[in-house]
Amino acid sequence: MEQILLKNVEGAKLADINNYTAVGGYESAKKAITSMTIAQIIDEVKKSGLRGRGGAGFPAGMKWDFVPKDFKGPRYLCCNADEGEPGTFKDREILEKNPHLLIEGMIIASYAIGAELSFIYIRGEFVKAANTLESALDQARKQGFLGERIFGTDKKIDIVVHRGAGAYICGEETALIESIEGERGNPRVRPPFPAVVGVFSKPTVVNNVETLAAVPSIIKNSGQWYAAIGVPPKNTGSKLYAVSGHVNKPGVYELPMGTTLKDLIYNYAGGIKGNKKLKGVIPGGSSTPVLLPEEIGVSMDFDSLAKAGSMLGSAAVIVMDEDVCTVEESLRLSEFYAHESCGQCTPCREGTVWMTKILDRIEQGKGEQGDIELLERVSANIMGNTLCPLGDAAAMMMLGFLKKFKDEFALHIKSGRCPIHKK
Amino acid sequence: MPTFEIDGKKITVGQGVTVLEAARSQGIEIPHFCYHESFKSGGLCRMCLVEIEKMPKLQTSCTTVATEGMVVKTTTDRVKQARSAILEFILTNHPLDCPDCDQAGECVLQEYSHKYGPDKSAFREPKELREHIQLSEHIAYDPERCIMCERCVRYYRDVVGTEELAVMQRGAHSEITTFPGRQLDYGYIGNIADICPVGALTTKDFRFKERVYNLRTTETICPLCEAGCTIYVDAKKYTVYRVRSRNKNLTSLHEHPNRNVTALYPKVFIDAILRSSFICDDGRFGYKKAIENGAIPGPINRYEPENRTWNNVISLVAQKIKQAGSKVGGIVSPFATNEEAYAFLYLLKYISGTNTIGVIDFPGAKEFNGATKLQLRKGSQSPNLKGIEQIAGALGIKITPVEEVVASKPELLYVLGPTLNRMDAYTEKIGGIKFIVLQDFKASAFANNVHVVMPGFNFAQKDGTYTNKDGKVQRIRKAVDAKGDARNDLDILTDIIYNISGKKLGSFDNILGLMVKEIPFFNGADAAILTTGINFRKAAGRLW
């Protein structure tokens, strides 16, 4: 497969607009703005089968179509660049090395939903990426691709970079919207959904960086072309897989949707470091349930992973070798969720802390009979009862580890110490 | 007007009504902490989760709008399990210091734990203890008891509009706080203690003073300005311990003492009741002004010091009034009830033949802070000025300043209190008046210089009605007993009238009945205001 998102990124210095236009950059935006109707664009994106790359996998074309057509007044596009899911570093690749591809995608998406102003909500720690984006936006404005009368038409589209302040929860789309508005980044109750009441109470579409970056190629080559890549009809296109952990070659790999996990780990990422045995893999960022070595034949796409009891999520593959203590690993993740819980709703605020305290006890060798059942019960009580998906994420992670590594948890409790770290 | 089903019952509700509100209107209880009718729902506490057909997850009924054909279940095992789970979560870090908590006995968390909670908690980890914080000199905040429902934060955002409170920190460390270095502005602070469903926000006025279950609650009216806000007085025997807005109980309207309230009154009126159910801090913390001790133990007779029984005093006063004829000067306090004012004016008009009356002047009730959306203070600090004006007008009596009554040197000056020290300024000017009678519950410089003092009741000791600035006639009720040999002011007046004329005016409800018949303003003030807490006038919409 020819790379779509990361094509030419090594060495070609695509952050410079001249290099980007030299390889055909902004042609798609021009084509969309000057020769396509909104309906045609949305139709093309729908045909491509492009699904949201942020984690939930919602069809992008359908999301754009939800924006009320008859709404008078501004509507907004937000690019979610608050890449915070532990293990995920795929969007940074685009933001730092191919910012114009994102901007071009955003111009097309803005036009498709009728937005004149769009936001890139970028993770606060991504200082380099934010600077790269700012200068890329300046270049695009100078070229007349952004601002008033873009591409010589009477259309007006501009993009603003909004830097986050370090909260994981702001990657949740409604918290992101609150944060853009200058409020504390707390998730909102849905409904109403952002497509109807979003930024400043106006219809808003929130799309992930990778989703928007895929749009120019769809406009250039047609939706049908994109839909032929990957596992049609529902899991199409290319996908950025961020592989980390105990592998020889960690990194971001752009591969067709549906590449198997085994291929990804042993072929592309060079296998397990030090020829150790594989213990488990988290396939889609810390919230997705862990998989065992015998399950890595799974195809890395939305539906196959769902069938396998996990999720594609952000496709952040965390590889754990035989020396990993899964109690410690789940404790570390649980601490993360407890730390990042916004505290608005009861089950997440209290449940994640409770979970952490139990795990901490077990890891310290102070686990008690019944702790496993208690962890299951606490997780189940969080699951589905929270205001936003953060609580669900913590519970899903926990239930995943308990399901796959129950024996190891039981051994911790029975032996009164961590059997792996031999404390 | 969508029709939907809740627990097997088909109901039709207004457009945009939430499932929780609809359930409440049917007397179906859905437990909740963060929902409050005065501000926007946040779906935060997750206590009100219900099962809705065709929706995979449980939904917060406080944010879900009822739609046509919806099927809601509030008593399934799933719902029960979720409620129990939420309560178990809330109690993980709750100190469970109920024995020492002022809220115990009226705590929503206590009630729900008892009703919906698990019988034991599996939480075995050490609890995180936190120190209490003073949000203002009047309000203490105990973060460890706080369940983060954010009602107080939303109250300051949506009702007061000053956004003085916010959530700081994150997750389990979250707490409510003011801007660093600032405290809450005095004015409408106290309401947050009422709307707090747990013991996290308590007033200094009441903190650690008395267990709520030892107190008797009386629905009455705040006497500290002409707005006439509805209040609860919580008291034990002789002592008032606390004044509250009626807001708290109204958070569950179906639990209101007047249970069929929702059936009786249309929603607009209930909304108005709820909005008006906050009170100001002067009313909440300043009630002591109107009931202060220093009571007069029994009748004082400086004219005939040996005759000090009530009978002696009343016949003396009656005899003096008869002698003075139309040269009786009357002064009335705007703290007197409509019934007392009527009896007093009846005495002046029909027995003495006096055509003027002085009304004691109380200063204006100023708003605390112009920036607040909530502005409850009205007129002067005279709870019944409007009522007295109406009755005087109907009887053809002219209201004049107190100075003029004093300066006219009447043969006999009759002052109907409570004067609350506002007559002290005239102590020097009353020399030369041959006979001065005062009815008051409290000693004052003025009381030391009159011939007869007949100790009466304060507003918390008696029954009657007040008319507020908007013309709503509202009921005040006896909340505490009076100590010593004081008597109900109305009884004193009717006794004097009986003594002179043989006319029996009767008790306060007889007199109210008389006024309803004789004074057009009171038309329609029927039994409703005597029996219900929320007084509502069907005809003119004037009576509450």
Side-chain angles (χ1 to χ4, degrees):
Chain A
M1 183 203 74
E2 196 186 3
Q3 285 189 322
I4 298 170
L5 305 170
L6 301 182
K7 191 180 172 186
N8 303 326
V9 293
E10 297 306 330
K13 299 214 166 92
L14 290 178
D16 185 328
I17 197 161
N18 295 322
N19 298 340
Y20 184 69
T21 47
V23 294
Y26 286 106
E27 288 301 323
S28 302
K30 191 178 177 187
K31 178 182 170 189
I33 301 285
T34 55
S35 68
M36 289 174 82
T37 65
I38 287 173
Q40 280 172 332
I41 294 171
I42 292 182
D43 195 45
E44 215 53 56
V45 174
K46 275 185 177 170
K47 271 190 210 153
S48 76
L50 175 64
R51 289 171 72 173
R53 301 300 201 234
F58 194 82
M62 214 195 276
K63 204 178 210 178
W64 295 0
D65 217 9
F66 280 157
V67 176
K69 303 280 178 296
D70 50 353
F71 182 82
K72 289 189 179 61
R75 57 277 299 277
Y76 299 104
L77 171 71
C78 293
C79 168
N80 187 346
D82 191 62
E83 186 168 52
E85 180 77 3
T88 315
F89 45 91
K90 62 180 181 71
D91 293 340
R92 193 174 63 182
E93 206 69 5
I94 297 173
L95 294 167
E96 288 180 0
K97 294 179 181 162
N98 207 354
H100 288 291
L101 182 67
L102 172 64
I103 295 167
E104 189 176 1
M106 286 183 73
I107 293 171
I108 300 166
S110 298
Y111 172 56
I113 64 163
E116 291 188 340
L117 182 64
S118 298
F119 301 93
I120 301 174
Y121 187 92
I122 187 165
R123 178 179 170 146
E125 291 89 335
F126 284 0
V127 181
K128 186 182 167 197
N131 292 338
T132 310
L133 272 175
E134 292 282 16
S135 65
L137 287 169
D138 275 348
Q139 292 170 355
R141 279 189 205 105
K142 282 193 191 118
Q143 298 278 339
F145 301 158
L146 277 179
E148 309 275 339
R149 312 185 63 78
I150 55 168
F151 298 105
T153 64
D154 60 350
K155 296 184 181 79
K156 181 178 149 190
I157 289 172
D158 210 345
I159 299 172
V160 169
V161 174
H162 186 112
R163 292 184 58 200
Y168 168 66
I169 192 60
C170 288
E172 194 281 333
E173 61 177 4
T174 56
L176 181 149
I177 287 170
E178 286 277 311
S179 182
I180 286 182
E181 290 182 7
E183 299 287 334
R184 179 187 162 97
N186 279 351
R188 291 177 181 172
V189 169
R190 278 166 296 194
F193 289 89
V196 184
V197 181
V199 178
F200 303 114
S201 302
K202 304 288 185 261
T204 300
V205 167
V206 184
N207 280 146
N208 177 258
V209 172
E210 194 187 339
T211 318
L212 290 164
V215 173
S217 65
I218 294 168
I219 297 302
K220 186 183 166 201
N221 302 309
S222 87
Q224 224 174 352
W225 166 84
Y226 190 85
I229 306 166
V231 196
K234 284 191 161 169
N235 297 275
T236 59
S238 74
K239 181 78 196 85
L240 297 183
Y241 298 104
V243 188
S244 65
H246 304 126
V247 287
N248 285 313
K249 291 196 288 176
V252 179
Y253 296 92
E254 184 179 8
L255 298 166
M257 184 75 91
T259 306
T260 67
L261 190 49
K262 191 173 182 177
D263 213 15
L264 195 57
I265 296 170
Y266 288 98
N267 187 5
Y268 293 97
I272 311 297
K273 239 183 181 170
N275 278 326
K276 285 188 186 163
K277 269 201 276 179
L278 177 67
K279 184 165 191 173
V281 191
I282 297 174
S286 63
S287 317
T288 58
V290 63
L291 297 175
L292 292 172
E294 53 266 35
E295 294 173 294
I296 62 171
V298 66
S299 150
M300 288 287 285
D301 63 67
F302 293 108
D303 298 331
S304 306
L305 275 162
K307 224 185 213 168
S310 189
M311 276 173 80
L312 179 62
S314 60
V317 178
I318 304 169
V319 180
M320 295 175 281
D321 72 14
E322 56 191 318
D323 291 340
V324 168
C325 168
T326 50
V327 176
E328 193 192 11
E329 174 65 13
S330 55
L331 167 62
R332 195 172 293 176
L333 291 177
S334 173
E335 272 173 347
F336 172 80
Y337 289 112
H339 181 69
E340 295 294 345
S341 166
C342 79
Q344 267 193 121
C345 81
T346 311
C348 175
R349 179 184 66 239
E350 308 292 345
T352 52
V353 172
W354 191 0
M355 230 160 71
T356 307
K357 284 180 173 173
I358 301 168
L359 286 167
D360 189 42
R361 240 178 344 102
I362 298 176
E363 175 61 10
Q364 286 182 29
K366 291 173 191 157
E368 291 170 27
Q369 271 308 318
D371 275 349
I372 295 175
E373 294 70 25
L374 182 58
L375 276 172
E376 283 170 344
R377 195 165 67 81
V378 171
S379 309
N381 282 342
I382 299 173
M383 196 76 162
N385 289 340
T386 54
L387 197 157
C388 85
L390 193 147
D392 289 349
M396 242 170 13
M397 175 282 293
M398 189 68 251
L399 290 169
F401 273 99
L402 286 171
K403 189 174 165 197
K404 302 286 163 69
F405 297 101
K406 198 173 249 175
D407 292 348
E408 197 168 307
F409 281 74
L411 192 58
H412 273 78
I413 294 169
K414 198 178 158 203
S415 57
R417 65 188 175 86
C418 176
I420 287 148
H421 295 307
K422 317 246 171 4
K423 271 176 203 160
Chain B
M1 296 285 271
T3 299
F4 78 110
E5 192 183 308
I6 180 161
D7 291 344
K9 201 168 169 183
K10 276 213 159 53
I11 55 171
T12 304
V13 292
Q15 208 62 249
V17 171
T18 63
V19 171
L20 182 89
E21 286 160 345
R24 216 169 52 160
S25 74
Q26 298 298 305
I28 296 170
E29 182 184 79
I30 298 178
H32 58 270
F33 293 108
C34 73
Y35 167 83
H36 191 285
E37 45 279 295
S38 298
F39 16 88
K40 215 177 133 216
S41 284
L44 306 180
C45 71
R46 320 302 287 176
M47 193 62 203
C48 71
L49 290 169
V50 293
E51 206 172 319
I52 299 175
E53 266 182 21
K54 292 185 194 139
M55 297 196 189
K57 283 184 183 181
L58 298 179
Q59 300 291 318
T60 45
S61 55
C62 72
T63 60
T64 308
V65 171
T67 52
E68 186 65 39
M70 197 178 244
V71 179
V72 180
K73 290 168 186 160
T74 74
T75 54
T76 62
D77 287 345
R78 246 180 105 197
V79 172
K80 284 180 189 161
Q81 167 57 28
R83 285 175 183 172
S84 162
I86 300 298
L87 285 164
E88 191 179 18
F89 281 138
I90 288 177
L91 292 181
T92 53
N93 260 315
H94 190 88
L96 292 169
D97 57 345
C98 306
D100 197 34
C101 177
D102 288 306
Q103 195 84 0
E106 58 178 13
C107 176
V108 181
L109 179 55
Q110 233 180 15
E111 229 177 283
Y112 288 169
S113 297
H114 181 73
K115 229 166 159 178
Y116 307 108
D119 38 10
K120 59 175 188 263
S121 172
F123 187 81
R124 288 192 300 272
E125 326 303 326
K127 293 195 186 245
E128 277 160 35
L129 303 177
R130 294 197 251 178
E131 285 296 308
H132 88 265
I133 298 161
Q134 213 65 38
L135 290 181
S136 99
E137 90 178 88
H138 293 282
I139 294 278
Y141 171 59
D142 285 286
E144 51 186 19
R145 287 182 194 152
C146 180
I147 61 165
M148 297 310 295
C149 68
E150 297 184 26
R151 276 189 185 183
C152 51
V153 175
R154 286 175 291 149
Y155 163 77
Y156 268 103
R157 188 192 66 197
D158 296 350
V159 179
V160 184
T162 51
E163 303 193 44
E164 286 170 69
L165 284 178
V167 179
M168 288 291 150
Q169 310 300 338
R170 201 167 62 190
H173 302 288
S174 302
E175 59 184 43
I176 307 297
T177 184
T178 51
F179 190 83
R182 285 286 301 268
Q183 291 205 323
L184 295 174
D185 284 343
Y186 181 84
Y188 296 102
I189 299 172
N191 293 319
I192 60 175
D194 285 352
I195 56 178
C196 180
V198 295
L201 294 167
T202 45
T203 63
K204 188 188 163 200
D205 181 54
F206 185 63
R207 205 168 154 85
F208 307 133
K209 293 281 190 326
E210 186 51 85
R211 308 308 315 193
V212 294
Y213 39 78
N214 291 335
L215 300 176
R216 201 183 56 235
T217 297
T218 307
E219 290 182 324
T220 186
I221 299 301
C222 174
L224 290 171
C225 84
E226 283 184 69
C229 295
T230 53
I231 56 167
Y232 285 129
V233 167
D234 292 334
K236 195 169 110 178
K237 193 74 182 155
Y238 303 113
T239 315
V240 173
Y241 279 91
R242 176 168 73 159
V243 163
R244 280 181 297 147
S245 70
R246 289 199 203 165
N247 201 295
K248 186 159 226 167
N249 282 22
L250 287 169
T251 56
S252 325
L253 265 184
H254 60 274
E255 288 162 12
H256 190 268
N258 180 17
R259 271 165 213 284
N260 50 5
V261 64
T262 44
L264 278 176
Y265 306 121
K267 188 172 181 325
V268 281
F269 287 104
I270 292 171
D271 286 350
I273 292 160
L274 295 168
R275 263 200 308 279
S276 67
S277 56
F278 291 114
I279 61 172
C280 76
D281 290 340
D282 266 9
R284 183 185 306 268
F285 305 123
Y287 65 91
K288 291 186 183 104
K289 262 196 292 198
I291 58 170
E292 235 166 358
N293 287 327
I296 304 162
I300 297 169
N301 187 347
R302 297 195 179 93
Y303 196 78
E304 296 168 348
E306 65 282 10
N307 294 332
R308 293 174 55 181
T309 66
W310 273 106
N311 281 343
N312 293 150
V313 170
I314 281 174
S315 44
L316 172 68
V317 172
Q319 182 205 331
K320 286 286 171 191
I321 289 173
K322 248 193 274 183
Q323 283 170 10
S326 67
K327 290 190 170 166
V328 172
I331 292 172
V332 64
S333 160
F335 276 76
T337 63
N338 285 323
E339 295 71 24
E340 288 158 12
Y342 180 83
F344 190 52
L345 292 168
Y346 181 93
L347 175 70
L348 293 179
K349 171 89 181 177
Y350 297 118
I351 292 173
S352 304
T354 310
N355 286 318
T356 56
I357 186 162
V359 178
I360 301 174
D361 184 35
F362 281 80
K366 276 198 212 106
E367 265 307 331
F368 311 99
N369 174 356
T372 55
K373 271 201 273 179
L374 190 64
Q375 307 257 333
L376 297 177
R377 309 275 281 161
K378 267 183 193 158
S380 63
Q381 296 172 39
S382 317
N384 198 29
L385 188 61
K386 183 90 173 180
I388 293 172
E389 282 169 6
Q390 292 296 334
I391 298 164
L395 295 184
I397 293 177
K398 199 175 146 237
I399 292 177
T400 61
V402 171
E403 287 85 24
E404 278 182 31
V405 178
V406 174
S408 72
K409 298 284 169 202
E411 288 272 307
L412 182 146
L413 180 65
Y414 196 146
V415 180
L416 175 61
T419 62
L420 299 172
N421 295 76
R422 297 295 296 176
M423 284 302 288
D424 291 357
Y426 299 99
T427 311
E428 306 288 312
K429 297 174 190 158
I430 51 171
I433 300 176
K434 281 189 210 145
F435 194 80
I436 305 170
V437 190
L438 170 67
Q439 258 180 257
D440 201 348
F441 73 89
K442 187 188 144 200
S444 63
F446 182 75
N448 293 339
N449 287 285
V450 302
H451 300 96
V452 170
V453 181
M454 295 182 284
F457 285 177
N458 64 42
F459 91 100
Q461 293 168 330
K462 62 191 171 193
D463 285 303
T465 61
Y466 277 160
T467 307
N468 78 353
K469 194 160 178 73
D470 299 337
K472 287 183 219 160
V473 180
Q474 307 182 102
R475 184 80 159 71
I476 65 163
R477 289 183 179 79
K478 175 177 183 249
V480 289
D481 292 332
K483 272 184 192 163
D485 200 12
R487 284 190 68 194
N488 191 343
D489 292 275
L490 188 60
D491 294 346
I492 300 172
L493 287 164
T494 52
D495 276 7
I496 291 170
I497 291 166
Y498 178 70
N499 202 302
I500 303 173
S501 66
K503 167 103 179 161
K504 278 185 184 167
L505 284 184
S507 65
F508 100 91
D509 41 349
N510 293 84
I511 295 177
L512 183 63
L514 272 179
M515 290 196 292
V516 169
K517 249 187 274 165
E518 292 173 9
I519 305 174
F521 178 79
F522 287 90
N523 279 352
D526 54 16
I529 87 163
L530 302 174
T531 52
T532 64
I534 299 158
N535 308 318
F536 172 65
R537 171 135 158 184
K538 284 170 228 140
R542 207 165 59 202
L543 187 77
W544 286 69

